[in-house]
Amino acid sequence: MNSTKAAAIGPDEAIAFFTDTRAQTEALVAPLVPEDLMLQSMEDASPAKWHLAHTTWFFEEFVLRQYLPDYRAIDDRFAFLFNSYYVQAGPRHARDKRGMISRPDNAAVMAYRAHVDEALGTLLGADRDDSDEIAELVELGCHHEMQHQELLVTDLLHGLSHNPLLPAYRAPEPMPVTGEVALEFTRHEGGLVEIGHDGNGFAYDCEGPRHKTWLEPFAIAQRPVTNRDWIRFMEDGGYENQALWLSDGWACRQREAWDTPLYWWQQDDAWWNFTLRGPQPINPDAPVCHVSYYEADAFARWAGARLPTEAEWEVAFRKRPITGNFLEKSQFRPLPGNGPWGDVWEWTQSPFTPYPGFRPPEGAIGEYNGKFMVNQLVLRGGSCATPAAQMRTSYRTFFYPHQRWQMMGLRLARDL
């Protein structure tokens, strides 16, 4: 992971950003008991305790060890336990065994965070010639931690969903009642357009370079696909109609026995789903959530449409203010009636590949994006688990087409 070259953040702004980001992570785990913090329900998910420690290791490895010669780690073994997949940073514990790390316990992990926080505060407060360079790395680390805040929330949801008691992370709260919104499309003329980060402010390397691309005329839906839409798809046999599905998707649907989005079930002739606020009736006008690319693509074909490309998505919504149902609103579930930002990440048909002219940086810190640019697809827009401070028009997230545990939905597009 690294940032595009942008205006450097100053040390004062960096320490404030760092303090706020670290506090938000700790607020997310405040309602959890120690047993919750240990949950690892699958290889794709990590325990909350590991997220707390890994984000701390990032600052220790890439900032403190590089710029503070007299820094002393609280425990050198943590580098092995809490590295994720930075090969050049050294060996690491097996990803699927993170839930087995009962020691260090929660108190020791929090002490580790405090130790690193204090050392980083000292470093940022020093009068150094390289203070702007350090501040820029701290900014990167904060964005990295915000990504893990999102993962912490969605990993926890997946873990709690395996508990027959269906426990709530936050107290149940009713959703607003809204009416059905007609599915309408806006037209866009296409042509030669520019997409990607413009160099102002922070961005990850994979968001650039800014470049030109050609778009044919297209139309894109004004709202995402809703639960109401999805129920119609299910009632029309969408999960049983092989003609709607990509070959790999159909094989995955059969293997995994998909017949609803993740976390859905039917009870007393009504649809329910499991959320971080416990079991709740499906709100028909909220965006559908927890569907794979394969399901999204099949739905689009059923609807006589397609998924947008990421260039179409960016061009269509780059002038819309980035406001919506993000992590800070603490809803932790999609809500009806919002715009293109927040609620659910929206699948695009675009593969996660490098933009023209992309060059990954050297060193371990450059491993985050470049080596994953294969077999994954781009999603846009952010979700109810995404920190608002992280969002920007050019932000690309990416997942494999079979994955569903993230807050994933879709929006339709059409050729003109």
Side-chain angles (χ1 to χ4, degrees):
M1 175 194 309
N2 81 309
S3 63
T4 61
K5 196 66 180 174
I9 187 174
D12 291 342
E13 294 90 346
I15 194 62
F17 191 22
F18 176 79
T19 301
D20 290 346
T21 302
R22 301 287 278 177
Q24 181 161 276
T25 305
E26 293 175 18
L28 287 173
V29 301
L32 303 180
V33 298
E35 292 80 1
D36 295 330
L37 290 162
M38 285 291 295
L39 283 175
Q40 184 179 23
S41 50
M42 60 174 174
E43 184 176 353
D44 285 337
S46 297
K49 186 174 79 171
W50 186 90
H51 287 297
L52 288 167
H54 167 70
T55 51
T56 303
W57 167 85
F58 186 94
F59 288 107
E60 181 177 67
E61 177 67 25
F62 295 116
V63 183
L64 295 177
R65 291 187 186 277
Q66 306 302 319
Y67 291 92
L68 202 60
D70 59 348
Y71 173 74
R72 294 293 178 266
I74 199 169
D75 191 326
D76 287 329
R77 297 172 299 175
F78 288 1
F80 174 81
L81 289 179
F82 302 127
N83 182 359
S84 53
Y85 35 66
Y86 296 88
V87 175
Q88 296 176 68
R92 68 218 63 85
H93 184 62
R95 181 179 180 182
D96 63 343
K97 300 293 192 296
R98 290 169 182 169
M100 304 298 290
I101 306 173
S102 61
R103 306 292 176 89
D105 62 15
N106 303 326
V109 167
M110 297 309 291
Y112 177 39
R113 286 179 67 89
H115 176 80
V116 166
D117 290 358
E118 181 179 4
L120 197 65
T122 299
L123 178 62
L124 284 170
D127 184 15
R128 300 171 56 119
D129 292 339
D130 57 1
S131 59
D132 286 343
E133 181 180 327
I134 293 169
E136 193 171 338
L137 271 175
V138 170
E139 181 183 32
L140 170 62
C142 289
H143 281 270
H144 167 257
E145 181 149 345
M146 286 191 289
Q147 285 188 310
H148 279 273
Q149 291 168 357
E150 179 166 4
L151 290 168
L152 189 160
V153 167
T154 53
D155 292 356
L156 178 65
L157 173 61
H158 194 268
L160 293 177
S161 75
H162 288 269
N163 188 329
L165 300 180
L166 299 178
Y169 164 67
R170 291 288 176 90
E173 192 175 273
M175 281 198 186
V177 177
T178 59
E180 181 177 6
V181 176
L183 183 61
E184 297 179 347
F185 289 75
T186 57
R187 298 169 63 93
H188 299 268
E189 296 306 315
L192 191 63
V193 299
E194 283 194 347
I195 66 166
H197 192 251
D198 62 7
N200 294 312
F202 177 87
Y204 293 122
D205 57 359
C206 66
E207 297 173 48
R210 191 166 179 83
H211 61 284
K212 293 180 174 63
T213 190
W214 179 266
L215 294 181
E216 295 296 331
F218 69 96
I220 193 165
Q222 290 185 315
R223 63 162 175 82
V225 170
T226 64
N227 293 320
R228 187 191 302 274
D229 300 327
W230 203 267
I231 290 169
R232 289 169 179 155
F233 169 70
M234 293 192 299
E235 290 176 344
D236 196 45
Y239 277 96
E240 291 75 44
N241 186 349
Q242 184 177 354
L244 298 174
W245 292 74
L246 296 168
S247 178
D248 283 352
W250 182 253
C252 189
R253 189 214 72 79
Q254 289 187 302
R255 183 173 61 251
E256 301 296 331
W258 291 342
D259 56 7
T260 69
L262 185 62
Y263 308 133
W264 282 40
W265 71 92
Q266 201 166 23
Q267 177 178 319
D268 299 327
D269 296 324
W271 286 105
W272 287 67
N273 70 336
F274 181 67
T275 76
L276 284 164
R277 292 182 178 273
Q280 296 200 322
I282 291 291
N283 184 310
D285 298 303
V288 69
C289 192
H290 301 299
V291 295
S292 67
Y293 175 84
Y294 293 137
E295 292 164 286
D297 180 78
F299 179 94
R301 196 169 287 111
W302 172 82
R306 61 173 175 81
L307 299 177
T309 67
E310 66 166 322
E312 289 171 338
W313 204 104
E314 183 172 326
V315 167
F317 299 120
R318 61 188 173 189
K319 293 183 179 179
R320 297 279 292 272
I322 302 178
T323 59
N325 178 19
F326 290 109
L327 176 71
E328 291 84 352
K329 290 195 173 180
S330 300
Q331 287 292 331
F332 301 111
R333 64 223 165 128
L335 298 178
N338 286 300
W341 302 104
D343 286 308
V344 292
W345 285 104
E346 297 178 3
W347 286 106
T348 75
Q349 62 176 264
S350 297
F352 181 56
T353 53
Y355 285 160
F358 172 80
R359 294 289 184 274
E362 296 181 359
I365 208 167
E367 292 186 37
Y368 188 80
N369 287 316
K371 69 180 184 180
F372 295 111
M373 289 177 166
V374 64
N375 298 333
Q376 303 196 70
L377 291 128
V378 174
L379 300 93
R380 291 298 194 107
S383 82
C384 55
T386 308
Q390 192 170 35
M391 286 308 302
R392 51 202 167 268
T393 303
S394 59
Y395 190 22
R396 315 164 80 194
T397 198
F398 49 93
F399 288 97
Y400 291 101
H402 67 278
Q403 291 176 316
R404 310 205 292 171
W405 96 107
Q406 288 300 308
M407 304 288 186
M408 298 161 164
L410 69 151
R411 180 182 301 263
L412 299 177
R414 290 175 177 159
D415 299 324
L416 290 179

